[in-house]
Amino acid sequence: MKKVSKTKWIIILCISIAVIIGAVIFLFRYLNQKDVNGDTLPTVATRDEVAPTQQPEATEEPGYVGATEAWGYTPAVYDFHEPSFDELVEINPDIYAWIYIPNTNVDYPVARSTSDGDDSFYLEHNVYRQYQFSGTIYSEIKNSPDMHDRVTVMYGHNMLNGTMFASLHNFANEDFFNNNNTIFVLTKDKVFTYLVYSAYTYDDRHILNTNSFSNDAEFREYLDETLDPHAVDANVRKGIDLSLDNKILTLSTCTSGPSDTRYLVQGVLIDESARKKQ
């Protein structure tokens, strides 16, 4: 009996060691998998780690002067590359926009899943529709790609290496918030300029599902909430007076705190211009 029992323990031990070795190999390969460009995929910031701030490289291409001042604030000058939407659509017809925020790492195509019932497809898929943990900046089917909804919501991961929407957290810094106020969204034919007027930590409720923005009273309530968010880290520009005619861009990402919190950056549309010809 002792010999049989000892043999069983040896078998169990060997199996356990094999499982552990396999798990370690899988974890190593997962954390070091490559994307389509051969770069190691980034990992998401944990609750105890804050994604570092990184600055994008400056471009030398000529800029386009967009909106004039709004509520006494002067937006940044549109000065970055001109993505070709013909080329982007060849890569993936779900790509409908490009978002750029000066002095952050946000400079990405925006996708919108056209698959029924799969709004979150780009949460873990890149623009080539391949699995990638960092995903793609995306909006949902509830939002029109023409950017004319009362509230458009775009989502992106809070990546540990500062990519995707991680640098939205720059707006939590009061000095950064005061000195950076512009979001640009490009579509095939238009440049949309948004004035960043509010940034704060929120809960994880689904904004488009829990609000009926076609209802004036609910939209007004949402506008008032963005102007006076009950959050200790809120930054809000003074003198912004929003009306039912305004169009809001809400950017949402995770935080390094509780899993049921999100960090939101709110922008109001202040200019819609035709893109310069390429």
Side-chain angles (χ1 to χ4, degrees):
M1 290 294 293
K2 291 184 178 180
K3 185 176 181 180
V4 173
S5 178
K6 184 177 180 180
T7 300
K8 287 184 177 179
W9 279 113
I10 292 174
I11 293 173
I12 292 172
L13 180 60
C14 291
I15 292 174
S16 300
I17 293 173
V19 170
I20 293 172
I21 292 174
V24 171
I25 292 173
F26 173 81
L27 182 61
F28 177 81
R29 288 181 176 177
Y30 175 78
L31 293 177
N32 290 277
Q33 61 179 312
K34 307 292 183 179
D35 66 10
V36 292
N37 297 315
D39 298 324
T40 301
L41 300 185
T43 55
V44 174
T46 66
R47 297 184 185 184
D48 299 321
E49 297 173 309
V50 178
T53 299
Q54 298 181 358
Q55 301 300 329
E57 295 181 359
T59 62
E60 297 181 355
E61 299 188 19
Y64 166 81
V65 178
T68 55
E69 68 174 27
W71 295 286
Y73 296 100
T74 302
V77 174
Y78 167 51
D79 183 15
F80 67 112
H81 62 82
E82 287 281 353
S84 169
F85 277 81
D86 289 337
E87 294 179 3
L88 290 171
V89 170
E90 283 186 11
I91 294 172
N92 184 349
D94 286 350
I95 298 173
Y96 75 95
W98 193 284
I99 184 169
Y100 170 68
I101 306 178
N103 296 320
T104 74
N105 290 330
V106 179
D107 188 7
Y108 296 109
V110 182
R112 174 176 172 270
S113 177
T114 54
S115 301
D116 292 339
D118 197 11
D119 262 348
S120 61
F121 177 81
Y122 288 104
L123 184 67
E124 293 185 339
H125 288 82
N126 60 28
V127 293
Y128 299 96
R129 299 182 63 84
Q130 299 170 340
Y131 173 79
Q132 186 168 323
F133 189 65
S134 55
T136 302
I137 305 304
Y138 73 96
S139 61
E140 297 180 327
I141 199 71
K142 294 179 180 64
N143 276 140
S144 170
D146 64 11
M147 303 299 297
H148 286 166
D149 291 334
R150 278 181 160 179
V151 178
T152 297
V153 183
M154 293 184 183
Y155 302 91
H157 280 298
N158 175 31
M159 303 304 294
L160 182 60
N161 68 349
T163 59
M164 306 314 288
F165 268 179
S167 51
L168 290 185
H169 290 278
N170 291 357
F171 287 99
N173 179 284
E174 186 175 1
D175 288 338
F176 183 91
F177 181 87
N178 290 337
N179 291 295
N180 296 272
N181 65 11
T182 315
I183 300 169
F184 296 106
V185 175
L186 275 71
T187 60
K188 182 177 176 61
D189 302 310
K190 298 286 186 69
V191 177
F192 297 87
T193 303
Y194 296 85
L195 178 73
V196 176
Y197 68 91
S198 184
Y200 51 93
T201 298
Y202 196 60
D203 56 42
D204 64 348
R205 77 186 74 174
H206 192 286
I207 294 172
L208 295 177
N209 285 347
T210 57
N211 296 279
S212 177
F213 292 124
S214 60
N215 180 288
D216 287 350
E218 288 195 36
F219 183 45
R220 180 70 260 176
E221 184 178 352
Y222 183 76
L223 294 177
D224 292 343
E225 186 175 15
T226 66
L227 287 168
D228 185 24
H230 300 293
V232 295
D233 63 346
N235 283 315
V236 181
R237 298 197 196 283
K238 297 179 180 179
I240 304 297
D241 184 19
L242 300 178
S243 73
L244 298 179
D245 294 326
N246 287 125
K247 293 177 175 57
I248 305 301
L249 175 63
T250 297
L251 306 182
S252 175
T253 192
C254 292
T255 73
S256 56
S259 60
D260 60 349
T261 58
R262 300 291 183 267
Y263 191 73
L264 304 184
V265 173
Q266 305 282 4
V268 54
L269 182 66
I270 58 173
D271 187 72
E272 178 180 340
S273 304
R275 284 185 64 190
K276 62 182 181 181
K277 293 183 179 180
Q278 299 180 55

